[in-house]
Amino acid sequence: MRKNTPQSAQENPTSRAVQDFVDAIYQQIHAIPLGKVATYGDIAKACGYPSHARYVGSVLKKLPKNSTIPWHRVINSQGRISFPENSPAYLKQHARLTSEGVLFINGRIRLKQYRHH
DNA sequence: GATATGACATGTT
DNA sequence: CAACATGCCATAT
């Protein structure tokens, strides 16, 4: 039985499945309402690839600078920002979330409260 | 094809 | 709760 991974679904030479997956990731992230968050795993699962949390992260890393995607609403399963604390990226994400009303306590937020279901 | 890497997740200690 | 270990999988070298 073939595994449920984008790579295993490359029936055509341009690997459409991977591109569809990336598009789905963008769409899911856009669906996160202001003031709410989702984990990398949540996004992957919502796209139909529950074991690709890391891939979601790698996609976000390659986001073009002009992208309008609310990437800051994606955090890890511990309710923490996946950047080294106090790095520029960390501070930026923290600032954006805070400005949306997401409360951080000891570098962590309450997923029970802010997670977008 | 073997190894290393990473904006991850989950279970165990 | 924190630290560790293990699993995961696309990408890069």
Side-chain angles (χ1 to χ4, degrees):
Chain A
M1 198 40 168
R2 186 176 286 198
K3 264 182 138 185
N4 186 28
T5 158
Q7 290 305 336
S8 70
Q10 47 185 345
E11 277 96 22
N12 80 32
T14 58
S15 119
R16 191 179 63 78
V18 176
Q19 193 47 242
D20 283 351
F21 183 26
V22 173
D23 289 342
I25 290 173
Y26 290 160
Q27 188 172 351
Q28 287 300 323
I29 295 179
H30 268 303
I32 308 172
L34 187 151
K36 289 285 186 179
V37 303
T39 70
Y40 297 89
D42 287 342
I43 301 301
K45 192 184 316 178
C47 293
Y49 298 100
S51 60
H52 286 65
R54 303 192 85 136
Y55 186 70
V56 172
S58 75
V59 166
L60 290 188
K61 175 145 69 172
K62 298 171 196 156
L63 277 183
K65 198 175 177 183
N66 56 9
S67 177
T68 63
I69 290 189
W71 55 267
H72 58 283
R73 297 182 188 144
V74 184
I75 62 179
N76 64 35
S77 65
Q78 318 306 311
R80 298 175 158 288
I81 289 174
S82 292
F83 282 116
E85 199 167 345
N86 295 327
S87 66
Y90 178 98
L91 295 174
K92 183 171 188 174
Q93 186 169 11
H94 183 286
R96 287 194 181 186
L97 286 174
T98 298
S99 77
E100 293 187 356
V102 178
L103 177 62
F104 277 81
I105 300 175
N106 292 327
R108 153 190 301 209
I109 75 172
R110 294 181 186 242
L111 278 179
K112 301 267 191 179
Q113 178 179 0
Y114 299 110
R115 198 175 206 165
H116 170 49
H117 296 290

